[in-house]
C-alpha cells in the first residue's frame, strides 16, 4: 500500500473513532435522553419550549450548553408514551424546566424522584397520578384529558407569605423541589441543628481521623503478626 493510501486509511479510522466516541458520550453522558426510542417532536409541549428557548435537541431532551467547557444540561425532557411503569430516578434532568411523563402506565413513583428539582416549572403526568408535593406545591393543578398538569412550582419554605417549615434556629430554609426544603446553617454556625458557633474545627477533625487510622492500622498489623506466629 502506498503512503497516500496509508494516510487515507488512517484518516478514515480517526473519523470512525470520533463518531463512535461521540455516540458513546451521548449514551453514557446523557442516558435519560435515550431512555426510550424516538426524538423530541415539534408541536409537543417540550418541543415548543425547546424552540422558544433556542435549545438543542438530543433524543428526547432539550439541551442548553453553558460554561467554559460547553457543558450540556437538560432543560426539557419528554418521556411521554415510553411504556414506563415505574419512575425512580431522573437525576440527570435535575436542571429541567419542563418534564412530560404523560401517556405512561405509571403505577409507582418514588417520593424522592423530584428531590432537588428547584427549576422545574411544568410537569405533565398521566392520570391518576398526583402532582408531587401535593396541589399546594403548585400554582396550577389541572386535569386535561388524560394528563395531570402541574405548573408553577411554589417555594416550599413559604405558604401564604409565611414561613411554613421549622428549620433549626441559626439556619436558613431553601427550596429543594416540589414540597421539599433543605435547612442550611447560617453565618458561622455549624454542627448538629446549627448549635455550634465559630470556625469549623477542621484541623481537630482531621487529627482525630488520622489518629484513628493509625490506631486501626496498628491493630491490624499486630493481628497479622500473631496469626503469622501461630502458623
Amino acid at each position: 500500500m502506498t503512503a497516500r493510501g496509508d494516510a487515507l486509511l488512517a484518516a478514515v479510522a480517526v473519523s470512525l473513532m470520533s463518531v463512535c466516541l461521540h455516540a458513546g458520550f451521548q449514551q453514557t453522558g446523557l442516558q435519560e435522553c435515550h431512555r426510550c426510542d424516538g426524538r423530541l417532536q415539534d408541536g409537543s409541549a417540550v418541543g415548543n419550549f425547546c424552540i422558544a428557548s433556542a435549545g438543542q435537541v438530543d433524543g428526547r431532551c432539550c439541551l442548553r450548553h453553558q460554561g467554559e467547557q460547553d457543558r450540556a444540561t437538560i432543560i426539557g425532557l419528554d418521556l411521554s408514551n415510553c411504556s414506563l411503569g415505574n419512575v425512580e430516578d431522573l437525576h440527570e434532568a435535575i436542571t429541567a424546566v419542563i418534564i412530560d411523563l404523560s401517556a405512561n402506565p405509571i403505577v409507582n413513583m418514588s417520593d424522592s424522584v423530584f428531590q432537588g428539582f428547584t427549576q422545574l416549572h411544568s410537569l405533565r403526568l398521566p392520570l391518576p397520578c398526583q402532582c408531587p408535593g401535593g396541589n399546594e406545591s403548585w400554582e396550577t393543578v389541572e386535569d386535561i384529558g388524560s394528563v395531570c398538569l402541574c405548573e408553577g412550582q411554589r417555594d416550599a419554605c413559604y405558604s401564604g407569605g409565611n414561613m411554613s417549615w421549622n428549620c433549626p434556629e441559626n439556619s436558613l430554609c431553601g427550596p429543594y423541589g416540589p414540597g421539599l426544603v433543605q435547612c442550611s446553617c447560617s453565618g458561622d454556625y455549624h454542627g448538629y441543628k446549627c448549635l455550634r458557633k465559630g470556625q469549623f474545627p477542621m484541623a481537630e477533625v482531621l487529627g482525630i481521623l488520622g489518629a484513628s487510622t493509625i490506631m486501626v492500622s496498628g491493630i491490624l498489623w499486630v493481628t497479622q503478626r500473631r496469626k503469622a506466629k501461630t502458623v
Side-chain angles (χ1 to χ4, degrees):
M1 184 178 291
T2 65
R4 184 175 180 180
D6 290 340
L8 180 61
L9 182 60
V12 171
V14 170
S15 299
L16 290 174
M17 184 177 296
S18 299
V19 171
C20 292
L21 286 174
H22 180 66
F25 171 78
Q26 288 187 330
Q27 292 295 327
T28 59
L30 295 170
Q31 296 181 16
E32 207 61 65
C33 301
H34 305 277
R35 179 181 287 205
C36 58
D37 296 334
R39 179 180 171 86
L40 190 60
Q41 297 296 312
D42 295 341
S44 65
V46 181
N48 290 338
F49 167 81
C50 197
I51 293 174
S53 304
Q56 179 181 345
V57 174
D58 179 14
R60 291 293 192 106
C61 290
C62 177
L63 307 180
R64 173 179 294 156
H65 292 266
Q66 58 187 11
E68 296 180 357
Q69 298 180 351
D70 199 28
R71 184 173 61 93
T73 57
I74 298 174
I75 58 174
L77 176 63
D78 187 346
L79 294 181
S80 61
N81 196 24
C82 283
S83 300
L84 300 178
N86 299 313
V87 180
E88 298 180 354
D89 186 6
L90 295 174
H91 73 276
E92 282 189 340
I94 198 170
T95 53
V97 178
I98 179 172
I99 295 178
D100 191 346
L101 296 173
S102 62
N104 283 301
I106 297 175
V107 295
N108 182 37
M109 183 178 295
S110 172
D111 293 337
S112 61
V113 165
F114 299 105
Q115 180 176 322
F117 283 64
T118 58
Q119 301 179 54
L120 185 60
H121 177 78
S122 180
L123 175 64
R124 292 170 176 260
L125 298 170
L127 292 175
C129 291
Q130 297 181 347
C131 296
N135 292 354
E136 64 277 4
S137 298
W138 302 86
E139 296 289 345
T140 302
V141 176
E142 184 179 5
D143 292 346
I144 304 176
S146 59
V147 177
C148 174
L149 176 62
C150 320
E151 283 194 323
Q153 182 183 166
R154 290 175 172 169
D155 187 340
C157 289
Y158 297 90
S159 178
N162 299 316
M163 181 71 74
S164 59
W165 286 78
N166 293 322
C167 284
E169 188 178 359
N170 306 317
S171 69
L172 300 174
C173 179
Y176 201 49
L180 301 172
V181 302
Q182 60 178 351
C183 300
S184 56
C185 297
S186 60
D188 56 354
Y189 287 92
H190 60 87
Y192 177 68
K193 291 189 175 181
C194 305
L195 294 176
R196 299 193 177 195
K197 185 178 182 180
Q199 188 175 1
F200 185 77
M202 182 63 71
E204 295 180 12
V205 173
L206 293 177
I208 293 173
L209 291 175
S212 300
T213 302
I214 293 174
M215 183 175 65
V216 171
S217 299
I219 293 174
L220 292 175
W221 181 81
V222 171
T223 302
Q224 292 175 353
R225 293 282 293 179
R226 287 179 177 176
K227 287 183 179 180
K229 289 182 179 180
T230 302
V231 175

